[in-house]
Amino acid sequence: MENKPLVIFLMGPTAAGKTDLAVALRQHLPVELISVDSTLVYRGMDIGTAKPSPAELAQAPHRLIDIRDPAEPYSAAEFQQDAEREIADIVAAGRIPLLVGGTMLYFKALLDGLAAMPPADPDLRAQIEKDAAEHSWPYVHQQLAAVDPVSAAEIHPNHSQRLSRALEVYRASGRTMTELRQAQQQNAGPAFRERFRLVQLAVAPRDRKVLHGRIAQRFHKMLEQGLVAEVEALRQCDQLHPALPAIRAVGYRQVWDYLDGQAGLGPVFSETEMVERGIAASRQLAKRQLTWLRGWPELKWIYTQSASGHFRSGQEILRDALNFIDTETI
C-alpha cells in the first residue's frame, strides 16, 4: 500500500472554501493541483465560475483550467483522459496530485471509469427538450425511470442536462446507461483505487443556512465584479447559444435569460428576479453536490464550523486536512 502513489481528492459543495484549502495545502505539501470543475475548463468564463484569481493561480497553479472554448462542449470522458494524463505527469515528477473541485461526476469517472456511450444526437435531444418544455423536466424524469430506474434514482428530476443525456442514450442505442456501465466495468482494467493510495476529503459548513449565506454573498460579489458584462461579452460570439453546456452553467444561464428579456428575445423579468434565480440555482447545485457526497465511500469530512457552530480558522481547517492525509506517510 505504501508503495502506491498518493492521490488526494478535495471535494465539496459550491462556495464551501475548496480553493482556499487547496492553496493552503500546496504551501505545506509537494502537491500539484488539478481542477475538477466542468465550468473552469472554459476560457472567458472567469467571474461566474469563481475561477481562482491570477494571484491564486500564480501561488498555486491549477491544471485543466482554460483548456476549452465555450462553444466546444467538454465531457466527463474527456476529463477522465485529461486527468489521468496529468496525474501520471505529476507522479512521474515525484509530486502528489491534488484534485480539487465540485463536479462529482468527474471524480466518479476517475474512480469507476466510463462506458462507451453513443454520440450526441441533436434530433433526439431536441425532442426531449420539447417534451420538457411542454410537460416539465420531472415528466422527462418519469420517462427515464420507466426504462432506467437506476440512472433515474441518481439524477435529480430538474437536472436537465443529465436527464436529457440519459434518455438520449437509451433512445439512440436501445440500451440504458446502467447496462452500458455494467458492461464497461466487467471489461475494465485495474481500478483507480488499486493503482493509487487515495485520500478523499470533503469541506463544507455544518449548517446548510451558512452555506446558503455564502452562496448568496458570492453571487452578489460576482455581480459587483462584472458578471453581467462577462455574459454580454459571451453573447457577442455567434457560436454561443443557451443550449451549450457552458451557457447552461449555474449563474450564466440566469443572466443570459435576463439579457434575452432585455433584448426582447424572451420573457422579461427584473434584475432582482435574475439575482434570485441565480442564487436559487446555486443552492440547488449545492444540494445535488451534497447528495452525491453523503453517499460517497471512504470520505473524510472537514467542517468549517465547530460542533457548537462557531467558524473555524483557516489554520484549523488546514490542520484537519493534514491530519487526514497523514503527512508522515508522504
Side-chain angles (χ1 to χ4, degrees):
M1 183 63 151
E2 297 301 323
N3 293 328
K4 295 180 181 180
L6 176 65
V7 175
I8 303 169
F9 284 3
L10 176 54
M11 301 176 274
T14 185
K18 298 183 294 294
T19 298
D20 290 343
L21 179 54
V23 172
L25 283 170
R26 195 173 191 274
Q27 296 173 4
H28 290 78
L29 300 174
V31 298
E32 295 290 337
L33 276 54
I34 300 174
S35 171
V36 187
D37 190 293
S38 61
T39 58
L40 293 185
V41 297
Y42 295 116
R43 294 184 290 270
M45 296 175 61
D46 302 332
I47 298 171
T49 61
K51 193 170 289 180
S53 68
E56 288 174 322
L57 291 175
Q59 186 179 12
H62 287 53
R63 304 187 186 207
L64 303 188
I65 284 182
D66 290 335
I67 61 172
R68 187 63 60 93
D69 186 274
E72 303 171 3
Y74 187 73
S75 69
E78 290 174 298
F79 169 80
Q80 181 189 16
Q81 294 176 352
D82 291 343
E84 287 274 12
R85 181 191 66 243
E86 299 297 341
I87 289 170
D89 183 64
I90 293 168
V91 169
R95 296 179 68 80
I96 302 167
L98 169 56
L99 289 85
V100 55
T103 302
M104 305 309 163
L105 180 63
Y106 285 8
F107 282 111
K108 184 174 175 60
L110 267 181
L111 288 177
D112 300 331
L114 289 170
M117 299 288 174
D121 187 318
D123 293 335
L124 283 175
R125 183 159 299 184
Q127 181 59 54
I128 293 168
E129 292 182 352
K130 181 182 177 182
D131 288 344
E134 293 178 356
H135 303 288
S136 78
W137 282 106
Y139 169 81
V140 175
H141 187 269
Q142 292 174 357
Q143 290 184 310
L144 177 63
V147 295
D148 188 359
V150 174
S151 293
E154 296 175 351
I155 303 174
H156 189 278
N158 288 319
H159 199 307
S160 58
Q161 187 172 339
R162 292 187 64 204
L163 277 176
S164 177
R165 179 56 178 158
L167 197 55
E168 176 190 337
V169 165
Y170 174 72
R171 292 180 177 177
S173 67
R175 302 182 71 190
T176 66
M177 273 191 168
T178 301
E179 293 171 334
L180 292 170
R181 287 170 178 165
Q182 289 173 343
Q184 186 272 340
Q185 289 173 359
Q186 291 174 357
N187 298 315
F192 193 90
R193 292 183 181 89
E194 295 176 6
R195 292 184 285 128
F196 299 103
R197 183 159 47 98
L198 183 61
V199 175
Q200 300 179 90
L201 309 176
V203 60
R206 291 180 183 273
D207 188 344
R208 184 77 62 87
K209 292 180 180 179
V210 170
L211 182 60
H212 288 176
R214 287 177 62 92
I215 287 170
Q217 183 180 30
R218 188 169 75 168
F219 195 79
H220 283 290
K221 183 179 179 181
M222 289 175 177
L223 292 170
E224 293 172 2
Q225 293 174 330
L227 176 58
V228 174
E230 182 172 77
V231 178
E232 285 179 332
L234 293 170
R235 287 167 61 88
Q236 301 307 308
C237 177
D238 293 337
Q239 293 179 305
L240 299 183
H241 53 82
L244 288 168
I247 306 306
R248 293 168 72 171
V250 167
Y252 288 91
R253 182 170 186 172
Q254 289 73 34
V255 176
W256 190 289
D257 289 346
Y258 165 72
L259 293 174
D260 267 355
Q262 299 299 304
L265 300 175
V268 179
F269 53 91
S270 68
E271 182 177 353
T272 299
E273 188 174 0
M274 177 268 287
V275 174
E276 292 173 350
R277 291 184 179 190
I279 293 173
S282 299
R283 288 180 177 178
Q284 290 169 0
L285 170 61
K287 182 179 180 180
R288 292 195 298 269
Q289 291 168 320
L290 287 168
T291 298
W292 274 83
L293 290 170
R294 286 194 193 98
W296 207 273
E298 304 172 9
L299 189 62
K300 309 296 185 183
W301 284 91
I302 301 171
Y303 291 107
T304 56
Q305 291 172 279
S306 66
S308 61
H310 292 97
F311 291 103
R312 305 176 70 216
S313 69
Q315 285 299 315
E316 290 175 308
I317 295 168
L318 172 63
R319 184 186 63 215
D320 279 0
L322 291 173
N323 285 339
F324 282 132
I325 294 167
D326 189 8
T327 54
E328 293 183 3
T329 65
I330 296 173

